[in-house]
Each structure stands twice: as C-alpha cells, then as structure tokens.
Amino acid sequence: MFEGKIIKGVGGLYTVSRGDELVVCNARGVFRKEKITPCIGDNVTVNDDNCIEDIKDRKNILIRPPVANIDHLAIVVSAQLPYADTLMLDKLTVSALSLGIEPMVLINKCDIATDDGVQKIVDHLKNTDIPCFAVDCVSEEGINRIVNCLKKGVTAFAGQSGVGKTSILNTLLGDGGYEVGQLSEKLKRGRHTTRHVELHRINEDVFVVDTPGFSKYDAEVVDAETLGRYFPEFVKHYKGCAFNSCSHTHEPDCNVKKALENGEISRSRYNNYIKIYEQIKQRKANYR
Ligand SMILES: Nc1nc2c(ncn2[C@@H]2O[C@H](COP(=O)(O)OP(=O)(O)O)[C@@H](O)[C@H]2O)c(=O)[nH]1
Ligand SMILES: [Mg+2]
Ligand SMILES: [Zn+2]
C-alpha cells in the first residue's frame, strides 16, 4: 500500500508518483460503476497489486483539461510584446481565488523589457498581495526566480499565447527532461482529439502543469454579488461600505471607492472589476 499522486493517465493506466519514483497502476473496476474517473492530480491510495483503491476528496477540479487539486496558478504575462492583457489576468486571479487556488504572476521576458512593461503590472496589482515575479528564460537570474517561485504542490501555468509558458516549462524541466511531449506525440497520431495533459514533477513535492484550457474555464460560479471577495485589495476595505451588499459600483459611501480615490486600489483593477461585474450581470458567458 502507498499513497501518491496521479501524474499521467493513458488508456486506463495511471502513473502515480511514490516519493521520487513512478509506478504505473490500474484502477479498481468499481470506479467505473461509481462513475468516478481517476484524474490527473488525484491523490490516491494504491494497493500491493498496484491497483488504485481510493481517491481522496478533491480540493478542486478543472474540467478542461481535467486536472484535480491545483494549489497554485502561475499567471504568465509578458513585459514585452504581447503586452499584458490585464483583463485576462484579473479574470484568472478571480477564477483561481474562487477555486481555492493561490495565484501568482510571472512577468516574463524581463531580459527585453522596457522598464514600464514591468512597472505597469506591478502598479496594476498594488495592494492585492498577489506575488509578482519578474523573470525571463534567458538569464540565470531570471531562471532562478522562476525556480524559486515554485511552492510545494501543483502549480498550473496559464496566460495568453506567446507570453512564454512553454519556454518557462521547458526551462523548469531542463535536460532532466521528463518525457516532455513524448506521449502526446503518440496520442496526436491516435484517435484521441482531447489534449493530453500530465503533471511534470520538479521534485518530490513540486509539480507543474500546462493548462491549455484554464483561461477558458468558466468561472460562472462567481456571481456579481460575490465578485468583490475575489479582489483581495477590495476585501481590506469593503467592511467600511455603508451598505452591506455594496457592489462598489454606484452606491454612496462606498469605502472601496474611497480607497480607489486615495490610490490604495489601482484604477485599472477597479475598471476591470466593473467590466467583469457587468459581464457576469449580462451572463454573456464571455467570462473566460
Ligand atoms: N527574449 C525572450 N523571449 C522569450 C522568453 N520567453 C519566451 N520567449 C519567446 O517568446 C515566444 C513565445 O514563447 P512560448 O513559450 O511559445 O509562449 P507560449 O505561447 O505562452 O507557450 C518564443 O519565440 C520564445 O522564444 C524570454 O524570457 N525572453
Ligand atoms: Mg505554449
Ligand atoms: Zn462599496
């Protein structure tokens, strides 16, 4: 018997990490009856026949791609073209926080950054307490910062195309290379149309995963009324709003707006809050 984490699942076989080794396992037949499908990221108990016996309760699960128990979300933005899409950034932080995932921001391409490419993002996120790291995949210093930002657990990488997610993952996986792409190549030629996802292990406690679908993950669980809870810098102020149910949009004596006027909340974050708020209200479903 041992406990481990599923890092890969192909054709009914699951690769489970056990300390620093990997064990290929079957799943107990009964899972199918119970309509539980083991999923990447699941913490499982494996018996002596290398059969998965039990799946621990999931802290969260992304649907597309299916990945369970994400602890951290590394939102990658770029200090050079393509410049940061702060609306997408803020939607991702909201999605993460609403799912119990800790967001962080990696400002990549700092080797070719204009000074204000970095500063703009730092200013945007002021007082959010969302950790922000200026990194690059080129200099030793930049790479070290990428390595150092990783914490225990599973870190998913998300962000718009072209910002350097793949480069960062390759940098992390290095030549210790961890079957990068190998299996997915095989699957591409097969009948599978779904994206193949797996966790990559940096060390015994640290896993990373590219999440092609995360940005499209529908965070409709967040409604307009609770949106403010997922703006940590608002949370510091909204107890002082005159109305308990203040939406911080039009009400009088809004303490969040006061903080905005005082410069404690960045104007661009507040503007994005209003945009997201209105999108949720309209349920235009372009909350992606
Ligand atoms: N100068 C510089 N270029 C980078 C860096 N990271 C990625 N790139 C380049 O940016 C482009 C997009 O990178 P890629 O990893 O494919 O981005 P993805 O779409 O987010 O996966 C590629 O041409 C990379 O070589 C970096 O830190 N510095
Ligand atoms: Mg990529
Ligand atoms: Zn308010």
Side-chain angles (χ1 to χ4, degrees):
M1 276 293 241
F2 69 91
E3 297 195 346
K5 186 185 269 302
I6 298 179
I7 64 156
K8 182 159 70 183
V10 179
L13 289 178
Y14 299 91
T15 305
V16 179
S17 73
R18 174 193 197 174
D20 55 11
E21 62 176 316
L22 298 175
V23 183
V24 177
C25 303
N26 287 296
R28 213 169 45 132
V30 71
F31 284 132
R32 240 153 279 153
K33 285 186 214 130
E34 287 167 0
K35 292 200 171 147
I36 298 172
T37 310
C39 169
I40 305 297
D42 272 334
N43 297 315
V44 296
T45 307
V46 177
N47 70 16
D48 294 336
D49 298 324
N50 284 351
C51 194
I52 296 170
E53 285 257 315
D54 186 37
I55 300 177
K56 302 262 159 17
D57 286 345
R58 292 165 180 160
K59 156 180 166 178
N60 53 48
I61 182 163
L62 299 190
I63 308 300
R64 192 178 52 183
V67 184
N69 301 317
I70 293 179
D71 299 297
H72 312 284
L73 181 69
I75 303 166
V76 184
V77 297
S78 167
Q80 253 297 348
L81 292 169
Y83 287 121
D85 175 346
T86 64
L87 185 59
M88 182 199 235
L89 169 64
D90 293 336
K91 285 176 177 178
L92 285 170
T93 61
V94 168
S95 302
L97 291 169
S98 73
L99 292 165
I101 299 171
E102 274 182 46
M104 67 173 111
V105 175
L106 300 189
I107 308 172
N108 191 35
K109 306 197 190 186
C110 282
D111 56 312
I112 52 169
T114 51
D115 286 346
D116 98 304
V118 177
Q119 196 55 44
K120 256 190 187 155
I121 298 159
V122 172
D123 291 345
H124 177 72
L125 292 171
K126 100 176 130 189
N127 294 332
T128 61
D129 300 333
I130 296 170
C132 215
F133 303 90
V135 303
D136 64 77
C137 303
V138 180
S139 75
E140 199 181 321
E141 206 190 338
I143 292 169
N144 282 339
R145 289 208 201 99
I146 297 173
V147 174
N148 289 336
C149 77
L150 293 179
K151 289 194 256 175
K152 192 174 166 175
V154 176
T155 300
F157 284 76
Q160 72 193 103
S161 170
V163 294
K165 296 180 296 299
T166 301
S167 306
I168 288 175
L169 285 164
N170 286 342
T171 301
L172 283 171
L173 298 171
D175 32 285
Y178 193 123
E179 298 183 26
V180 189
Q182 227 166 286
L183 267 162
S184 36
E185 281 307 313
K186 214 185 272 173
L187 281 172
K188 263 185 228 155
R189 279 181 265 119
R191 63 195 159 78
H192 296 260
T193 48
T194 45
R195 284 288 299 265
H196 172 72
V197 192
E198 68 181 273
L199 299 186
H200 295 282
R201 193 176 49 176
I202 305 296
N203 64 45
E204 200 173 311
D205 295 324
V206 175
F207 300 86
V208 294
V209 60
D210 200 355
T211 57
F214 194 100
S215 61
K216 293 205 169 62
Y217 180 77
D218 204 2
E220 288 209 331
V221 284
V222 178
D223 50 38
E225 286 66 39
T226 56
L227 180 64
R229 288 184 207 164
Y230 305 111
F231 281 71
E233 75 276 43
F234 288 22
V235 174
K236 294 175 185 169
H237 299 284
Y238 67 35
K239 285 211 178 83
C241 294
F243 294 92
N244 254 341
S245 59
C246 186
S247 70
H248 327 300
T249 58
H250 62 276
E251 295 88 342
D253 285 327
C254 170
N255 208 40
V256 167
K257 276 193 163 168
K258 227 170 276 168
L260 173 70
E261 299 312 327
N262 295 341
E264 290 166 83
I265 287 173
S266 79
R267 176 80 46 188
S268 53
R269 278 274 288 186
Y270 181 79
N271 290 346
N272 285 347
Y273 169 82
I274 298 290
K275 279 186 200 157
I276 299 169
Y277 180 88
E278 274 162 11
Q279 283 179 7
I280 294 174
K281 278 264 175 201
Q282 292 165 12
R283 280 290 177 220
K284 277 222 158 139
N286 54 354
Y287 192 93
R288 18 170 242 133

